[in-house]
Amino acid sequence: MNEIPLHLLFKTVTTRRLINAGMVLSSFLLSAITKRQRVMGKPFILTVEPTNVCNLRCPLCVTGNGRMTRTAGKLEFETFKRLIDELGDYLFYILLYQQGEPFINKSFLDFVAYAKTRRIFVTTSTNAHYFDIDTARRTVASGLDSIIVSIDGASQTSYETYRVGGELAKVTAGVRNLVAERNRQRSRTPKVFIQFIMMRHNEREIASMRELTRDLGADKLLLKTVQVETEAEAVQWLPADESRRRYRTGNGSLQPKRKAIGPCVRPWTSSLINWDGSVVPCCFDKNGEYEFGSTKNGKEFSQIWMSEKYDLFRDKMLTERSSLSICRNCSQGIRLYL
């Protein structure tokens, strides 16, 4: 919720959304108590992937490191419009990002503007290599509520160690364009958050990043712990400072410091739609291992949401969560930001 200021989220509240959220949460609690899945209402949080294509090659990202098995592509506006037309009255907020750089999709700001016609909070995350003056102007005008800009180094050498192929000077110039345009339009949005993933090579740069955040005119610096998948990645990327790690390591094992207890609420409260319209449980299903169906060819999301496939997944979440591969490195319950 770091990229979602509560005072802006409150503006999305309607009676219908509150009633729907109450139904959803009640059905989750009943399911958790009885260990039998029930679902009422529609998701009130949605993640939508504009594209799984990226201009950078970050080594811990499945897009950047070549482990992406899904076909590359970009979300079509018509697919997005159908989703908003169907679910817009129930959604408090939309996260418009997943496995790619959102601004590579030329329709991205059209997605934002359309969602804002339904008074939905919209946030995104970017590497900020595409913020020329015109894009900055249109971004502010679109009504985007908040934006995370990933800057993982205070110098080019540090930055490109992880953001492979990136140019720090281009990123900082883009942020300046965005902040200047926000000021010019006398807008309070988007809130601009600089995200700094703390890793072994950059963990001593926190003070420099605070200074850079102030210099850019951004609203806040987010210090995030890094996610790894293997012991080898842990050795290379985890910070030396134990307090900045989300894992315990040793004896060839890699374990999150905290493991979520009980079922995850996400299969009841939220869902994720990839660029091709395929529906998956959440952002940890990066390659569509648990795909429930597709909305691309006119199929309503609600049919998929209430489908047998989705219900079977919820049943497993209630009784056999440890068998779900996407849950093994899940960050639910972990403090991601320091």
Side-chain angles (χ1 to χ4, degrees):
M1 296 286 287
N2 288 274
E3 77 278 26
I4 304 174
L6 291 179
H7 70 282
L8 293 177
L9 188 59
F10 285 147
K11 293 182 179 181
T12 70
V13 173
T14 65
T15 300
R16 178 176 288 187
R17 285 173 179 156
L18 286 174
I19 291 172
N20 176 68
M23 291 172 60
V24 169
L25 293 172
S26 296
S27 66
F28 168 71
L29 290 173
L30 187 60
S31 299
I33 292 168
T34 64
K35 301 300 180 185
R36 295 181 59 187
Q37 78 82 25
R38 295 170 174 80
V39 61
M40 296 183 292
K42 302 179 189 295
F44 53 83
I45 304 165
L46 201 63
T47 300
V48 182
E49 179 182 70
T51 181
N52 62 348
V53 177
C54 192
N55 54 309
L56 303 184
R57 294 293 177 264
C58 305
L60 296 178
C61 170
V62 297
T63 299
N65 62 26
R67 295 177 191 165
M68 173 66 67
T69 60
R70 291 189 284 121
T71 303
K74 301 171 187 175
L75 178 69
E76 296 176 355
F77 180 77
E78 190 56 39
T79 302
F80 183 79
K81 181 178 183 298
R82 284 200 306 271
L83 278 171
I84 300 305
D85 289 348
E86 181 182 356
L87 300 175
D89 289 342
Y90 307 95
L91 296 172
F92 286 101
Y93 65 93
I94 293 177
L95 296 92
L96 265 177
Y97 61 95
Q98 171 60 349
Q99 288 303 131
E101 168 50 49
F103 283 84
I104 285 177
N105 189 323
K106 300 300 184 185
S107 297
F108 174 75
L109 293 174
D110 295 327
F111 302 155
V112 176
Y114 194 72
K116 292 306 298 178
T117 65
R118 305 296 284 271
R119 215 172 82 189
I120 303 168
F121 183 100
V122 184
T123 186
T124 194
S125 181
T126 178
N127 61 50
H129 279 74
Y130 295 92
F131 281 109
D132 55 32
I133 294 174
D134 182 61
T135 302
R137 176 188 61 77
R138 292 188 296 113
T139 298
V140 175
S142 73
L144 183 69
D145 292 286
S146 70
I147 186 168
I148 291 174
V149 179
S150 297
I151 306 181
D152 304 314
S155 69
Q156 175 62 25
T157 299
S158 177
Y159 175 79
E160 67 182 353
T161 298
Y162 184 70
R163 298 288 166 180
V164 178
E167 298 178 40
L168 180 58
K170 194 169 187 177
V171 174
T172 55
V175 175
R176 293 185 198 282
N177 286 340
L178 185 60
V179 172
E181 191 57 40
R182 185 179 65 179
N183 293 338
R184 192 189 71 79
Q185 294 188 34
R186 297 182 180 180
S187 175
R188 295 184 177 182
T189 58
K191 298 297 183 184
V192 180
F193 301 117
I194 305 301
Q195 178 175 276
F196 178 73
I197 301 178
M198 297 174 293
M199 293 172 274
R200 186 172 294 269
H201 69 279
N202 68 7
E203 62 181 312
R204 296 181 180 178
E205 296 183 307
I206 293 175
S208 298
M209 287 303 303
R210 293 191 193 282
E211 183 178 345
L212 178 61
T213 300
R214 288 192 295 268
D215 182 57
L216 293 174
D219 295 279
K220 188 177 181 180
L221 175 66
L222 304 177
L223 301 176
K224 188 176 184 181
T225 56
V226 66
Q227 178 185 325
V228 295
E229 301 285 345
T230 67
E231 182 75 8
E233 289 178 347
V235 170
Q236 181 177 0
W237 297 102
L238 289 188
D241 187 335
E242 184 69 29
S243 68
R244 294 169 182 161
R245 297 182 174 196
R246 69 171 78 168
Y247 304 94
R248 292 186 179 89
T249 59
N251 300 319
S253 67
L254 179 71
Q255 295 293 330
K257 289 181 178 178
R258 290 180 60 186
K259 283 193 174 182
I261 299 173
C264 177
V265 71
R266 290 181 182 180
W268 282 262
T269 61
S270 64
S271 193
L272 190 153
I273 293 86
N274 289 317
W275 73 266
D276 60 356
S278 58
V279 180
V280 297
C282 69
C283 59
F284 278 86
D285 192 2
K286 302 180 189 305
N287 273 313
E289 181 180 352
Y290 295 93
E291 182 183 331
F292 304 125
S294 178
T295 64
K296 188 170 184 180
N297 296 317
K299 189 171 186 178
E300 289 190 353
F301 173 86
S302 298
Q303 293 176 267
I304 300 169
W305 180 246
M306 303 296 288
S307 68
E308 183 179 5
K309 254 187 163 182
Y310 226 134
D311 286 347
L312 288 172
F313 181 86
R314 294 186 184 102
D315 276 328
K316 276 201 168 187
M317 177 59 69
L318 292 167
T319 60
E320 303 175 61
R321 183 173 180 176
S322 61
S323 70
L324 298 170
S325 61
I326 61 173
C327 295
R328 290 170 195 157
N329 195 19
C330 177
S331 60
Q332 184 194 22
I334 295 176
R335 187 181 178 191
L336 300 185
Y337 294 94
L338 302 183

